[in-house]
Amino acid sequence: MFDLIIRKGQIVHPEGVFQADLGVWDDKIAQIAEEISEPAHQEIQAEGLHIFPGVIDVHVHFNEPGRTDWEGIATGSAALAAGGGTLFFDMPLNSVPCTLDAENFDKKVAAMRASSVTDFALWGGLTPANLGHLPELAERGVIGFKAFMSNSGLPEFSHADDATLYEGMKIASRLGLPVAVHAESDVLTGYFTQKLRSQGKTGWRDYLASRPVFTELEAISRALILARETGCKLHIVHISSGSGVVLAAEAKASGVDVSLETCPHYLAFTGEDLERSGAIGKCAPPLRSEAERDLLWAEVLRGAVDIIGSDHSPSPPSMKQGDDFFALWGGISGVQSTLAVLLTEGWHRLSLPLEGVARMLADTPARRFELNGKGRLEVGYDADFALVDLHESFSLKREDLFYRHKQSPYLGKPFTGRVKETWVRGQKVFGSGKISPVKGPTLIRPRSAS
């Protein structure tokens, strides 16, 4: 007898969409067939619904321990689940202390196990101060190492200069783990910021002018050169521009082992939207022009973008208020809306195939970061999935948000495609607008660390 059978849903697989029954036993997908004849303890009639593999968000900042008042694991993972997510990768900042050594890795894992609604994985940091700790972080099971090529905005997480990044990549290459980079030029963005502020220019347009697209391209180019030289697996996070994707994709085609990530907010908004949203829409790299967004969508549609991560980086509302746009916190709250953006702006508006959505949100993240049994709806894989009504339209309301602070540039945005339920390893964690935490949230380690 199965624990659960989902009847007559449309299964979204990277190779196609088809109607089938899906049977779950002992936390795993045990059978997928046109019709399963055996009984189950629980059955769900899913006619008219699509079954997506659970979203794997490789880029979130839940800020616990140390800055739980900014978000926290409980509320952040609940929002992920409400958006169809089943696994997140927490960045080594903005928690205090940062995940820079084994001791603080253990502290964060304890906090995750106590509060997470879903499964989780952890990035380790790569800074000038912790190169000697990278092997112990790898032994603990980090998914990879995150470095900032520009100022992180936090004094406890120093940016990695070229020498640090080179040495860190050599170590990561030996360990078989990727290095993720925030690719913006520290020298150029710092120069433009100082120049504009010295002239009393502190508005949102001035902030955009301080981080032009070429400052991203310059840093991407350096990271690609270092990755080629060291043989390191490179992951470029939150590429904001279509031009950045084109540059990195060309290097990938020439043999550099690089994966490309962008974020839903770069696909949903442009810099001009800051006039409406204010600092709620501030991020780094910043929102780009309509032309760059159109090029970014073109690259998504042609399959050049590997992964979509939310870069959920929340803060208290007070940090988004003030007259100096440069001084306000730069981070977007969006972990709950990733799938909705891809379905609304991608599938409905631009005919992005559902298979492509599943690939970027689940299959490629699992393959790139070597996650056993994750990312696909296949027999033997963990029963991580979301039931979605592709045709239900809604506008995101404040009361819909599970974030600690009910702020997001997506508020009021019309979407088509609503998550009805989310299941993690055969346990329903979201349904009817309510959260039911998973029993025993699990640290997911890459195969090389298993």
Side-chain angles (χ1 to χ4, degrees):
M1 179 176 285
F2 289 95
D3 294 322
L4 169 70
I5 295 177
I6 311 292
R7 299 281 188 190
K8 299 187 184 307
Q10 296 290 324
I11 292 179
V12 182
H13 191 276
E15 277 75 55
V17 180
F18 55 92
Q19 181 176 297
D21 291 353
L22 185 150
V24 176
W25 183 77
D26 195 25
D27 300 346
K28 304 286 185 184
I29 298 173
Q31 187 176 355
I32 297 175
E34 184 176 348
E35 183 175 359
I36 297 176
S37 59
E38 289 85 351
H41 293 293
Q42 181 180 4
E43 294 194 10
I44 295 175
Q45 298 299 323
E47 289 180 275
L49 299 179
H50 282 69
I51 309 173
F52 282 80
V55 173
I56 299 174
D57 195 329
V58 306
H59 192 155
V60 305
H61 300 264
F62 287 164
N63 307 332
E64 187 174 346
R67 286 195 174 97
T68 310
D69 58 318
W70 290 23
E71 180 64 273
I73 297 160
T75 52
S77 62
L80 172 78
T86 54
L87 169 62
F88 63 88
F89 296 5
D90 200 53
M91 283 293 173
L93 72 167
N94 309 318
S95 55
V96 180
C98 299
T99 313
L100 297 176
D101 55 36
E103 178 184 0
N104 292 312
F105 176 93
D106 293 343
K107 289 178 180 178
K108 183 172 275 193
V109 168
M112 295 284 176
R113 286 177 173 153
S115 301
S116 184
V117 169
T118 69
D119 288 344
F120 60 92
L122 300 185
W123 287 97
L126 195 171
T127 74
N130 84 315
L131 291 176
H133 294 285
L134 301 188
E136 68 190 52
L137 285 167
E139 186 177 352
R140 283 296 198 276
V142 295
I143 217 75
F145 306 106
K146 168 69 178 296
F148 267 76
M149 299 178 73
S150 60
N151 191 328
S152 73
L154 297 170
E156 61 269 21
F157 199 95
S158 301
H159 99 276
D161 57 22
D162 287 354
T164 296
L165 195 55
Y166 172 71
E167 294 296 337
M169 282 186 172
K170 286 200 300 182
I171 296 168
S173 181
R174 292 198 299 268
L175 295 170
L177 290 173
V179 167
V181 294
H182 176 130
E184 288 184 288
S185 167
D186 187 59
V187 171
L188 291 171
T189 57
Y191 166 73
F192 289 128
T193 297
Q194 190 278 329
K195 180 179 180 180
L196 288 162
R197 295 186 80 177
S198 70
Q199 298 170 357
K201 297 179 178 180
T202 58
W204 64 268
R205 292 188 187 277
D206 304 311
Y207 174 73
L208 294 181
S210 74
R211 306 179 98 93
V213 169
F214 82 85
T215 64
E216 180 177 48
L217 302 181
E218 190 274 344
I220 289 174
S221 296
R222 281 188 289 122
L224 291 167
I225 290 169
L226 293 174
R228 188 188 297 273
E229 182 66 24
T230 60
C232 177
K233 292 186 286 187
L234 176 64
H235 180 68
I236 306 175
V237 303
H238 55 47
I239 302 175
S240 66
S241 60
S243 299
V245 172
V246 170
L247 176 61
E250 289 175 350
K252 184 176 184 178
S254 72
V256 178
D257 189 353
V258 58
S259 49
L260 287 61
E261 169 198 310
T262 192
C263 304
H265 44 268
Y266 297 125
L267 298 167
F269 305 110
T270 70
E272 293 300 314
D273 287 304
L274 289 176
E275 186 170 20
R276 171 190 57 83
S277 69
I280 298 297
K282 180 186 176 183
C283 55
L287 301 174
R288 299 301 188 186
S289 68
E290 185 175 358
E292 282 292 347
R293 183 182 65 172
D294 290 347
L295 179 56
L296 182 60
W297 265 117
E299 292 300 295
V300 167
L301 292 170
R302 81 175 182 92
V305 172
D306 298 300
I307 294 170
I308 310 287
S310 70
D311 189 14
H312 180 74
S313 186
S315 68
S318 61
M319 297 180 68
K320 291 286 193 179
Q321 297 169 4
D323 295 328
D324 183 351
F325 207 84
F326 286 94
L328 306 181
W329 179 254
I332 284 177
S333 295
V335 72
Q336 194 168 324
S337 299
T338 300
L339 180 57
V341 170
L342 267 291
L343 294 177
T344 303
E345 302 292 335
W347 184 66
H348 280 279
R349 187 171 70 88
L350 296 171
S351 299
L352 173 67
L354 296 178
E355 299 94 313
V357 175
R359 176 183 62 81
M360 291 184 289
L361 296 187
D363 180 54
T364 301
R367 289 188 293 105
R368 178 59 171 170
F369 297 101
E370 301 182 351
L371 311 181
N372 283 326
K374 296 288 188 183
R376 284 182 171 232
L377 300 178
E378 288 190 0
V379 172
Y381 278 58
D382 288 354
D384 299 340
F385 53 84
L387 304 180
V388 180
D389 185 340
L390 289 184
H391 303 288
E392 182 174 344
S393 297
F394 65 100
S395 292
L396 189 66
K397 299 180 177 63
R398 196 174 303 276
E399 57 266 29
D400 297 330
L401 294 177
F402 284 85
Y403 307 143
R404 181 175 297 276
H405 304 290
K406 313 299 184 185
Q407 58 186 13
S408 172
Y410 297 110
L411 280 175
K413 187 172 179 62
F415 289 117
T416 303
R418 184 187 284 274
V419 174
K420 309 298 284 187
E421 295 182 359
T422 304
W423 294 69
V424 177
R425 288 182 283 108
Q427 304 170 64
K428 185 166 71 172
V429 296
F430 172 76
S432 302
K434 298 179 180 179
I435 294 292
S436 301
V438 67
K439 296 176 183 176
T442 300
L443 169 67
I444 305 301
R445 297 153 55 99
R447 281 192 297 271
S448 59
S450 300

